[in-house]
């Protein structure tokens, strides 16, 4: 593990896991595991003056799955969450702000577990989708990337949602979903009661809503999850499930900047960006611009 530079404000940790996604085509693995390298190559670490916290290497991806098998790569995801949690906790213990480069959305289990072990933390979930699939609203679950929010709020197999007896890692009332726009996801989030602001509703009052959820006396802080598909596919199409109607680059940078200025921001992760769909590197550069703008 790379030593954290004592005077750095940020530390970048790679979480190059694609364990939570289905294969995009037969005999093809999801390319989001390459995202940390693409973002580093586009200059993210230098742009924000971050320490290099190294990488947490994921277990082997297994592509075979059918309904009834449970969660694809489930035991591997649980083991990875434990390792990632330890590394995130070490960064925070150094007094440095962790920036985790994924990977698919299932990497959220690691930071969520680390923060749950430290206290009670909220979650700002910036995503085109709710990732809230569970057996209460679906006939089966398959890929953990599509159930990441359900898992961290305690909905799923015990070996994933109750590591260390800490279920749930995040309470429902401590979550706000920002940018969701898929019709099915909007239905699920409304029925769940989770606080949410759909993409068309994001505007000047959004941070006031987020503050009510995330900045409270009974919370120790909050984590920020950013799925790159919160951006409109006209801006950044290199994602697993592009969905029209998302934010533009300035909109995401402004929203993220506002969240980072709220008291208690404890770290962030970026997920789902797929360099296999970004042959010339322009989309990686755009993501770096967004992150650098917000973090400055």
């Amino acid at each position: 593990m790379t030593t954290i530079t004592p005077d750095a404000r940020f530390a970048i940790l790679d979480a190059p896991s694609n364990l939570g996604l289905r294969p995009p085509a037969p005999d093809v693995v999801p390319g989001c595991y390459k995202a940390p390298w693409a973002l580093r190559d586009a200059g993210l670490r230098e742009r924000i003056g971050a320490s290099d916290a190294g990488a947490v290497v994921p277990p082997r991806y297994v592509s075979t799955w059918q309904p009834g098998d449970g969660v694809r790569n489930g035991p591997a995801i649980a083991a990875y969450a434990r390792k990632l949690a330890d590394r995130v906790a070490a960064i925070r213990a150094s007094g440095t702000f962790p920036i985790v480069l994924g990977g698919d959305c299932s990497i959220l289990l690691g930071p969520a577990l680390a923060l749950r072990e430290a206290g009670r933390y909220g979650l700002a979930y910036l995503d085109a989708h709710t990732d809230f699939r569970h057996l209460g609203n679906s006939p089966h679950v398959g890929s953990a990337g599509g159930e990441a929010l359900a898992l961290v709020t305690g909905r799923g197999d015990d070996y994933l949602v109750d590591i260390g007896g800490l279920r749930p890692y995040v309470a429902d009332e401590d979550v706000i979903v920002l940018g969701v726009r898929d019709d099915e996801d909007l239905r699920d989030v409304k029925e769940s009661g989770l606080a949410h602001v759909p993409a068309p509703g994001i505007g000047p009052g959004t941070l006031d809503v987020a503050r009510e959820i995330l900045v409270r006396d009974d919370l120790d802080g909050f984590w920020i999850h950013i799925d790159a598909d919160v951006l409109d596919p006209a801006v950044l199409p290199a994602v697993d499930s592009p969905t029209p109607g998302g934010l533009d680059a300035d909109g995401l940078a402004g929203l993220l900047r506002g969240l980072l200025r709220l008291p208690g921001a404890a770290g962030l992760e970026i997920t789902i960006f797929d360099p296999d769909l970004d042959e010339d590197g322009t989309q990686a550069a755009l993501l770096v611009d967004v992150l650098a703008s917000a973090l400055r």
Side-chain angles (χ1 to χ4, degrees):
M1 179 168 58
T2 303
T3 302
I4 305 300
T5 305
D7 59 349
R9 293 176 56 201
F10 308 116
I12 287 179
L13 175 65
D14 295 355
S17 173
N18 58 4
L19 295 171
L21 292 183
R22 68 190 185 280
D27 300 320
V28 177
V29 300
C32 65
Y33 74 95
K34 301 176 183 178
W37 310 329
L39 295 175
R40 284 172 176 268
D41 194 46
L44 176 60
R45 191 171 74 84
E46 294 79 8
R47 290 276 299 276
I48 63 174
S51 286
D52 185 349
V56 181
V57 179
R60 180 182 180 186
Y61 179 89
V62 178
S63 61
T64 56
W65 181 89
Q66 60 185 2
D69 286 350
V71 177
R72 182 193 309 274
N73 295 308
I77 290 170
Y80 191 66
R82 176 69 272 168
K83 291 173 62 178
L84 187 55
D86 291 342
R87 295 286 287 276
V88 170
I91 292 171
R92 296 191 67 246
S94 75
T96 309
F97 188 92
I99 298 172
V100 182
L101 306 182
D104 71 76
C105 295
S106 70
I107 70 165
L108 174 61
L109 283 166
L113 175 59
L115 294 177
R116 179 67 182 87
E117 290 176 326
R120 179 175 177 178
Y121 285 78
L123 174 63
Y125 204 81
L126 282 60
D127 204 309
H129 311 89
T130 57
D131 297 337
F132 201 66
R133 187 186 307 116
H134 57 88
L135 292 180
N137 61 22
S138 301
H140 61 264
V141 294
S143 299
E147 59 169 342
L149 185 55
L151 291 172
V152 298
T153 55
R155 297 164 170 91
D157 293 317
D158 286 348
Y159 74 90
L160 285 167
V161 306
D162 198 27
I163 298 171
L166 293 173
R167 174 186 195 156
Y169 310 135
V170 185
D172 287 2
E173 60 267 29
D174 302 340
V175 176
I176 183 166
V177 181
L178 300 167
V180 60
R181 53 194 184 270
D182 180 86
D183 288 341
E184 182 178 351
D185 287 300
L186 282 167
R187 179 205 68 200
D188 288 343
V189 76
K190 287 176 181 176
E191 292 176 355
S192 74
L194 295 173
H196 62 285
V197 180
I202 291 178
T206 301
L207 289 173
D208 293 331
V209 178
R211 180 185 289 272
E212 291 182 6
I213 302 297
L214 302 172
V215 184
R216 307 195 318 260
D217 290 342
D218 58 341
L219 286 181
D220 297 300
F222 63 93
W223 185 261
I224 301 170
H225 164 87
I226 310 161
D227 185 322
D229 69 18
V230 74
L231 287 163
D232 192 273
V235 176
L236 191 141
V239 295
D240 178 67
S241 299
T243 305
L247 303 178
D248 61 20
D250 288 341
L252 176 55
L255 177 59
L256 180 55
R257 188 180 305 116
L259 289 169
L260 289 165
R261 289 176 177 172
L262 293 178
L268 66 82
E269 67 190 35
I270 180 81
T271 64
I272 292 299
F273 172 61
D274 188 343
D276 284 348
L277 306 176
D278 179 31
E279 293 185 1
D280 63 2
T282 56
Q283 295 176 66
L286 182 144
L287 268 182
V288 167
D289 285 344
V290 168
L291 292 169
S293 173
L295 290 163
R296 279 200 303 267

